[in-house]
Each structure stands twice: as structure tokens, then as C-alpha cells.
Amino acid sequence: MVPVPDPNGAPDEMTGSLSNTQRETAPLKRDNSRVRPDAPAFEEATRPAFGPPRPPQQPSAAPPHAQPPSSQPAAPQSAGPPSQPPRPGPNPTARQAVPQPPPPARQPARSGGVTPMGWVLRGLGLCAIAVVSGLLWTALRPDAPEPVAQDPGPVTKYQFTPVKKEEAFQGCKNVSNAKIAQFFAAKECDHLTRALYTTTLPGGERVLTSVVTVLMPDVQSATELNELTTKNNTGNIKDLVDDGHQGKPRYPALDDDGYASQRQERLVVIGDSAYFDKPTSANDPVLREVTKDALKLGKPQDQAPQ
């Protein structure tokens, strides 16, 4: 700014000197000798140059916290005078960082670190295991053995009470006489038992009954023995009374007054009965009935252990 001279010659406030009314000022001239004719315009020399935009790239499997490097190219250095840097604008090729979701709130542990729903699931799992185990046990358990039906024994009309039993291991020949002994000399028996029973008749009479079992090797020999014992004067197999086994009170003699015999396959059963308290008549029908009923005891007697 050029000071304007005061026409009254007042001193200048800026310089403190008197104004010179006679001062001449020469007009300023512009010197363009230092300007290069080939220099670019100011705006063109200071404007940054950008390359063509790159196509968008697919996001790589980088960690979500890693920041992608900037794809904006560096501005080239200008050969002109220094100028103001360009304002950064939006870069469409730059990837923005993906915001991370906040971490879920941690639930407080209950009952030693197991939630109520966890206890429910554990209970259901235990119930399922119990059901499967029961089904497997039902399918794989061994079958229970079928109960063996016990033989109720022979059904007899009279109630027989055993009082003595013996198995003759010495053989049948040694306890026989007459033709019966000769028969066993040719065909010995396999097994022999002798027993005594007592029973009481409806009228109160007490009866002693002898039952002898003879097991033969085959059915044929058993048939021959049974036929021989039913004939007269052929001898017999001694019962326990005839063989000297007396009881107390004394047993009555068995003299074939109530005799009966029967073949059961290869087993021959021989019986005889007598009264305790009264004389026995020959061929007493009541005693014969008692003896025939006692023959049902033959097979169990032969099979029962001693």
C-alpha cells in the first residue's frame, strides 16, 4: 500500500517524516523474463494424477481383526512449485473393516457348573440307558428251566405205610427156593427189592402186606417168571417175614392166603397179605383185594433209592 501525501505537509504517522509533495512515483512494471514458456499451468502442475481404478477383489480369509492394506496408489511427485496436498476423497476400492459382534454374555454357573436344562438332559439319558438295558436283559437272559413235574406216586385205594425195606444185592437165587431158585440159576435177575407195609381196613382190621419186586433182563424172562410164580408147588421168593425178619409186635406169617402177582414190562411184582389180630383164611377175598392194590407200589419201590 503506497501512502498518500498530505497536501498540507503534515508529517507521516507511519514513518515519522514529512511528506514530500514533490515526490514522484514511478509505475511498477512486471518482469516476465523468469517465467518459463513451457511450464504447465498452475492448476495442472499441482493436481495429483491417479491411475485407472482397479476391479474389486474378493475378500480373502484373513482374520477378522486384521486390517486390509490400502489399495490407494501414492500420488506422483510434481515437478512444479510446492502446492497444497489434495484432500483425500472416498476410495471405492478400499475395504472397510468388518465390525466384530460383541462376545456373548457368560451365564453364571449353577449347581456345580450344570444348568437346570443340563440336569434334565442327564435324567433323560439315564432313563434311556435303563430302558435299553432292560430290553437287552429281557432279550438275552437264559430261559428259566421248566419245572419238572414230580410223580405224585401211585393212586391206591388203601393207605399203605412202609415199615421195612431191603435190597437183595446177593441176587434172586439166594433168596428163592424150589423151581423158582432153579429158574434164577439159568436167568439171574437184575434187581431185587423186598418191603413190608401196614394198612387198616374200614372195619378197623390191621393188615400186613409184603411186596417183592424182581427186575429181569428182558420182557420175555419177566413173563416166564410171572407164569411160574402163579403155579402151585413151584416155590417162591422169600419175603422178609419168611426170611426171619420179625418185628415187634410179631408179624403174622404170610402163607399165600392173600397172594397176587403182576408183570409191569420187565418188572415182576409179587404180593401177599395177612391179618394182624385174627386168623387168615385161605384165599380171603378182602386180603386178595388189599394185595392187588399194593402191587401198584412195585415200580416206585424198585426205582426208589435205598
Side-chain angles (χ1 to χ4, degrees):
M1 179 176 181
V2 179
V4 179
D6 188 0
N8 296 325
D12 190 357
E13 296 178 359
M14 299 295 293
T15 61
S17 61
L18 297 178
S19 62
N20 186 5
T21 59
Q22 301 299 321
R23 186 179 179 180
E24 296 181 0
T25 60
L28 298 175
K29 295 183 180 182
R30 184 175 182 179
D31 188 2
N32 295 330
S33 61
R34 296 189 179 189
V35 177
R36 294 182 300 176
D38 56 348
F42 178 77
E43 295 181 359
E44 295 179 357
T46 60
R47 181 177 300 174
F50 296 94
R54 298 181 180 180
Q57 298 179 355
Q58 295 296 331
S60 59
H65 59 274
Q67 297 293 338
S70 176
S71 60
Q72 183 177 0
Q77 299 293 333
S78 174
S83 60
Q84 297 292 333
R87 296 181 179 179
N91 188 358
T93 61
R95 290 186 299 172
Q96 300 294 331
V98 180
Q100 298 295 326
R106 185 177 181 181
Q107 296 294 336
R110 300 176 184 176
S111 303
V114 181
T115 62
M117 181 57 67
W119 286 114
V120 172
L121 295 178
R122 289 186 177 186
L124 294 176
L126 292 176
C127 292
I129 293 174
V131 171
V132 173
S133 300
L135 294 177
L136 290 176
W137 168 249
T138 303
L140 300 179
R141 68 177 179 180
D143 296 335
E146 297 182 359
V148 179
Q150 296 182 355
D151 189 0
V155 179
T156 59
K157 179 180 178 180
Y158 300 98
Q159 184 67 36
F160 295 96
T161 302
V163 293
K164 191 174 183 63
K165 180 184 176 182
E166 177 189 80
E167 295 191 42
F169 297 102
Q170 68 272 21
C172 295
K173 178 183 176 181
N174 296 331
V175 294
S176 302
N177 54 28
K179 294 182 179 180
I180 300 297
Q182 296 174 5
F183 175 84
F184 285 126
K187 298 179 181 178
E188 184 60 88
C189 66
D190 290 344
H191 189 228
L192 172 69
T193 65
R194 296 183 295 178
L196 295 175
Y197 299 88
T198 60
T199 186
T200 302
L201 302 180
E205 300 91 344
R206 295 178 63 243
V207 175
L208 177 68
T209 301
S210 169
V211 176
V212 178
T213 64
V214 182
L215 184 64
M216 298 302 295
D218 49 51
V219 175
Q220 180 64 30
S221 59
T223 303
E224 294 175 359
L225 175 61
N226 185 48
E227 291 176 356
L228 185 62
T229 57
T230 57
K231 295 178 181 180
N232 296 326
N233 302 319
T234 58
N236 206 342
I237 300 174
K238 297 178 183 179
D239 54 57
L240 292 179
V241 177
D242 291 342
D243 209 15
H245 298 276
Q246 297 293 332
K248 295 181 179 181
R250 187 178 179 87
Y251 295 144
L254 299 170
D255 297 330
D256 296 340
D257 292 330
Y259 179 86
S261 66
Q262 184 184 51
R263 183 186 64 83
Q264 301 173 5
E265 296 181 357
R266 64 188 188 101
L267 183 69
V268 178
V269 184
I270 302 171
D272 197 3
S273 298
Y275 291 111
F276 269 95
D277 304 322
K278 67 177 184 179
T280 302
S281 61
N283 297 324
D284 189 298
V286 176
L287 294 180
R288 287 178 62 88
E289 183 181 358
V290 172
T291 302
K292 288 181 180 179
D293 192 34
L295 295 180
K296 299 177 182 178
L297 305 175
K299 190 171 184 178
Q301 176 179 307
D302 176 74
Q303 296 177 352
Q306 178 64 26

